[in-house]
Amino acid sequence: MTKAISPRSRKVRVLATLGPASNSPEMIERLFDAGADAFRVNMSHGDQASKVPVIQAIRSLEKKLGRPTTILADLQGPKLRVGKFAEGKVTLVTGHEFILDRDPTPGDATRVELPHREIFEAAEVGARLLLDDGKLVLRVISHAPDRMTTIVEVGGPLSNSKGLNVPDMVLPMAALTEKDRSDLAFAVEQGVDWIALSFVQRPEDLMEARRLIGGKAALLAKIEKPSAIARLDELLEQCDGVMVARGDLGVELPPQSVPPLQKRIVESARRLGRPVIVATQMLESMITSPSPTRAEVSDVATAVYDGADAIMLSAESAAGDWPVESVAMMNSIADAVERDPTHGDRVHFTVTRPDPTTADALAEAAKNIAHTVSAAAILCFTTSGSTARRIARERPNVPIMVLTPKIETARRLGLLWGVHAVHTRDVGSFEEMVAKAKRMALRHHIAAAGDRVIVCAGVPFGTPGSTNVLHVVRLLGDELKTYKGSDSAG
């Protein structure tokens, strides 16, 4: 890739979901121009064949712009639903009993099929069942292997195949369905950069997904169930990144508990150096309105102040009336927050203590030196991306430019706070490293003549996880004029 594109002025990344309103190559480019850094392909909607031209369009845009572009494929996960009703719809009355059973006969106001044996296996007296995104609440009063009697605590209309949430149970159910396994294999074959796993309950769910991915993509855990919160640290150890999926969290938990949980997840992920995405209903009103509510603006701003790596748009960019405007709005909110003089202090409310390793010590030192000498940027050479993740965890007050010979690494880093990744030829010596760092800083307009930049790398070069060099250099400004070779990885 020879064309150089300037980094975003902000450090938090914007992840835009693609869908009917934004699937065309023209719209994908417009979303990028408006501020989208990465794109989410939702495997819950449409078939696999419909995803191929979307992924191809993103890769074509990548070539056109000369900038590695990130694709996240989001797996659907198990969908718990009740069966069908003889009349298509019933009304459950508060205080009345309602039975869930394994009988496929269409239901009525007294019973309906529940085609998930795992729920019967996990059921306990007192457990809640939430129907239709939590609008209706049932509580188990007795249960058997194929029949569960509940009391209706919150009644209302219930129609065919409505969704079911079971916040008080850990289900003996794998996070990967047969559809998910097929979609995962398809996504890996198509070369996506991240796989997002839904319905994560236990570390074993992530281990199975990682085995199937086989190192060909990064693994992101969606935290959307109370059982995942209970084992958060274990889950973070098993994944490459995490998403605060506030939609299902807000159904299975009291709404007032979601904001502190969001902060806890963001803080825990940051401490371990895992990219963390805050998602769901961030600019919900922009599905139908060209402008957000003030509360939504404040919600996005809070995620940026907390130091989240990325903020995500769902239906706003996928199926709404204002996809480009919603991305532009999220971009402008993030820009405004990061220009706030107090932003840096607020981001560092979370203390990220380095592990007792050379790589972590140098990452922390790079941040401190950049601040002390007023450097323009930190540049790091990496093969695996681990150096970039360590530096990004420190949340330095300058841009992070990542130079890597692996296009896969460059693409995966698109969800990382403050990182501008460049796919370029590898270096073979210390002198070559310094010279290339100067050229790339100038070429990508990340520094100018007279600026200092911090350079991090590992020697011997090309050895993953060997970060052991930190060097401060000053740019003269003529490094590009005197260089006759090519930095392109092509």
Side-chain angles (χ1 to χ4, degrees):
M1 298 180 180
T2 56
K3 181 182 176 182
I5 188 167
S6 298
R8 302 286 191 196
S9 60
R10 56 172 161 74
K11 297 181 175 68
V12 69
R13 308 292 86 175
V14 172
L15 174 61
T17 301
L18 300 178
S22 54
N23 270 342
S24 70
E26 296 76 20
M27 280 298 296
I28 292 171
E29 183 166 1
R30 288 182 64 193
L31 294 185
F32 176 87
D33 290 341
D37 301 290
F39 298 98
R40 171 177 173 254
V41 177
N42 189 353
M43 303 305 295
S44 299
H45 304 296
D47 58 14
Q48 293 175 0
S50 68
K51 312 299 182 191
V52 174
V54 177
I55 293 170
Q56 290 176 343
I58 298 169
R59 292 301 182 225
S60 295
L61 178 63
E62 177 181 83
K63 290 180 181 178
K64 176 180 178 180
L65 298 175
R67 173 174 175 162
T69 306
T70 307
I71 303 174
L72 180 146
D74 196 335
L75 303 181
Q76 175 176 285
K79 291 298 179 187
L80 307 179
R81 300 184 185 280
V82 298
K84 298 184 183 299
F85 296 94
E87 301 296 327
K89 184 177 183 179
V90 298
T91 298
L92 302 191
V93 180
T94 301
H96 286 205
E97 288 188 0
F98 187 71
I99 293 170
L100 300 158
D101 57 37
R102 302 292 304 282
D103 182 356
T105 305
D108 54 29
T110 65
R111 62 154 294 277
V112 74
E113 179 193 13
L114 181 60
H116 305 288
R117 61 171 177 76
E118 296 89 350
I119 298 179
F120 292 92
E121 292 175 11
E124 294 181 356
V125 172
R128 290 169 300 153
L129 304 175
L130 310 180
L131 299 167
D132 194 9
D133 289 334
K135 296 183 181 72
L136 290 80
V137 181
L138 312 179
R139 194 173 294 272
V140 178
I141 56 176
S142 69
H143 61 91
D146 58 0
R147 180 184 174 91
M148 196 184 313
T149 302
T150 71
I151 192 77
V152 180
E153 291 194 343
V154 179
L158 181 64
S159 54
N160 291 340
S161 306
K162 282 297 182 182
L164 175 76
N165 292 80
V166 287
D168 303 330
M169 306 178 197
V170 177
L171 298 180
M173 177 183 285
L176 288 163
T177 65
E178 286 307 309
K179 169 180 165 53
D180 294 328
R181 290 171 181 272
S182 174
D183 287 343
L184 187 153
F186 164 80
V188 169
E189 179 186 327
Q190 291 294 313
V192 307
D193 311 299
W194 285 83
I195 301 287
L197 186 62
S198 302
F199 206 82
V200 175
Q201 298 185 96
R202 54 183 80 83
E204 292 77 10
D205 294 331
L206 293 166
M207 295 175 191
E208 171 71 0
R210 188 176 292 284
R211 183 184 67 79
L212 293 172
I213 291 170
K216 295 179 180 177
L219 175 61
L220 184 134
K222 294 170 67 177
I223 306 300
E224 53 192 348
K225 296 190 68 62
S227 51
I229 298 293
R231 304 184 70 178
L232 179 60
D233 289 343
E234 294 175 80
L235 295 175
L236 286 169
E237 291 287 353
Q238 294 296 330
C239 66
D240 301 303
V242 67
M243 180 189 293
V244 188
R246 304 181 305 175
D248 279 307
L249 269 182
V251 170
E252 300 209 358
L253 292 166
Q256 66 271 18
S257 68
V258 175
L261 279 177
Q262 174 178 317
K263 289 184 179 293
R264 176 184 161 193
I265 297 167
V266 171
E267 182 176 338
S268 297
R270 284 191 52 196
R271 282 183 173 147
L272 282 176
R274 303 291 192 270
V276 55
I277 303 167
V278 176
T280 320
Q281 299 177 330
M282 300 207 81
L283 296 175
E284 184 84 351
S285 64
M286 289 195 73
I287 295 173
T288 56
S289 170
S291 59
T293 67
R294 302 301 178 264
E296 289 167 339
V297 173
S298 181
D299 178 43
V300 173
T302 295
V304 180
Y305 278 120
D306 287 345
D309 289 82
I311 44 183
M312 190 181 100
L313 293 165
S314 300
E316 303 96 327
S317 59
D321 296 334
W322 309 91
V324 175
E325 290 80 1
S326 65
V327 171
M329 177 56 65
M330 188 165 268
N331 177 72
S332 63
I333 296 167
D335 264 337
V337 170
E338 292 188 6
R339 285 197 301 270
D340 177 359
T342 71
H343 171 257
D345 292 335
R346 293 179 184 274
V347 163
H348 289 106
F349 281 169
T350 297
V351 178
T352 52
R353 302 189 187 283
D355 294 331
T357 64
T358 301
D360 270 20
L362 288 180
E364 184 181 38
K367 178 196 75 172
N368 293 335
I369 294 171
H371 177 73
T372 301
V373 304
S374 299
I378 297 172
L379 285 81
C380 71
F381 290 80
T382 182
T383 303
S384 67
S386 62
T387 305
R389 288 189 291 272
R390 286 185 172 99
I391 295 173
R393 184 179 74 165
E394 300 300 322
R395 300 296 192 257
N397 63 354
V398 297
I400 305 164
M401 173 179 263
V402 178
L403 305 172
T404 178
K406 293 188 67 174
I407 184 61
E408 297 83 6
T409 296
R411 289 168 174 165
R412 290 179 196 178
L413 294 175
L415 292 180
L416 209 58
W417 189 93
V419 166
H420 177 71
V422 178
H423 182 211
T424 184
R425 293 186 189 278
D426 206 358
V427 293
S429 68
F430 183 84
E431 292 76 15
E432 189 181 354
M433 174 194 80
V434 172
K436 170 166 277 196
K438 291 180 175 181
R439 292 195 304 272
M440 299 306 271
L442 289 170
R443 183 171 287 139
H444 290 260
H445 314 292
I446 207 166
D451 285 341
R452 288 190 181 97
V453 296
I454 313 296
V455 184
C456 296
V459 177
F461 294 100
T463 305
S466 66
T467 307
N468 55 11
V469 171
L470 188 153
H471 190 61
V472 183
V473 299
R474 186 185 291 274
L475 305 183
L476 297 177
D478 63 353
E479 287 85 356
L480 287 174
K481 297 176 184 176
T482 57
Y483 180 62
K484 305 300 181 184
S486 171
D487 290 311
S488 172

